[in-house]
Amino acid sequence: MAEALFYHLTAQPLERALPDLLERTLARGWRAVVRCGSAERMEALDTHLWTYKDESFLPHAATGCAAPERQPIYLTTGGEIPNEADALFLVDAADTTDFTGFERVVIMFTDDDEAALALARTQWKRAIESVKATYWQQDDGRWTKKRESEAPSE
């Protein structure tokens, strides 16, 4: 059964938190799609994931690449899932109405974007109707579980 993880960014920007979560995703042997709220954010993340650490990078490609089905991480602003992703990441107020079909749907949002915060609340309500959901918040640089929903009845 899929689960939804809500990550409330209060101590780190997306550019620091997302690569760590993507590394964990790949370590599980999973593929990911990162759905961005804008083309500008997608382009910035595309560059960032190649250079965020001196000693490593995250293999990925963005919309318009050759062979998107072969990409371990695929960046997009649309609804396509060409790489049979196990995890869907939603950033910068990107949305989904379907939390099924993935092992995880990860929603990342900050306090400084009221629209993204309001959307995250709506997404929480949607998520708990179909999957188990967990809300995480950064406390002193560490993630702390603040809330967890029950798995819905079949």
Side-chain angles (χ1 to χ4, degrees):
M1 172 183 266
E3 65 179 325
L5 303 176
F6 289 75
Y7 284 96
H8 190 168
L9 300 163
T10 58
Q12 293 178 333
L14 178 71
E15 291 77 11
R16 285 196 54 210
L18 180 62
D20 291 339
L21 295 174
L22 289 172
E23 285 178 348
R24 292 181 200 171
T25 299
L26 294 182
R28 290 176 169 262
W30 290 356
R31 292 172 173 251
V33 164
V34 179
R35 187 174 299 156
C36 303
S38 70
E40 294 79 16
R41 173 64 94 176
M42 182 184 72
E43 291 167 10
L45 286 175
D46 186 20
T47 300
H48 181 68
L49 295 179
W50 291 118
T51 61
Y52 76 101
K53 278 186 183 175
D54 289 339
E55 66 278 4
S56 69
F57 65 92
L58 284 165
H60 70 281
T63 299
C65 71
E69 68 281 357
R70 295 179 31 207
Q71 303 304 320
I73 300 170
Y74 181 76
L75 306 175
T76 184
T77 58
E80 73 274 15
I81 312 288
N83 63 348
E84 298 181 14
D86 304 285
L88 172 64
F89 287 78
L90 303 173
V91 301
D92 282 355
D95 198 7
T96 188
T97 57
D98 187 5
F99 289 84
T100 60
F102 300 98
E103 295 293 325
R104 288 205 173 124
V105 176
V106 178
I107 297 95
M108 302 181 79
F109 58 96
T110 64
D111 282 334
D112 61 354
D113 184 344
E114 284 297 321
L117 195 56
L119 178 59
R121 289 183 184 114
T122 299
Q123 289 168 324
W124 175 269
K125 291 174 187 173
R126 277 191 225 142
I128 62 175
E129 292 175 0
S130 58
V131 299
K132 179 180 176 182
T134 309
Y135 168 70
W136 297 86
Q137 188 175 36
Q138 289 175 320
D139 290 325
D140 298 324
R142 299 183 52 161
W143 292 108
T144 303
K145 187 189 306 185
K146 298 288 187 172
R147 189 171 179 193
E148 185 172 17
S149 74
E150 297 293 323
S153 301
E154 293 290 325

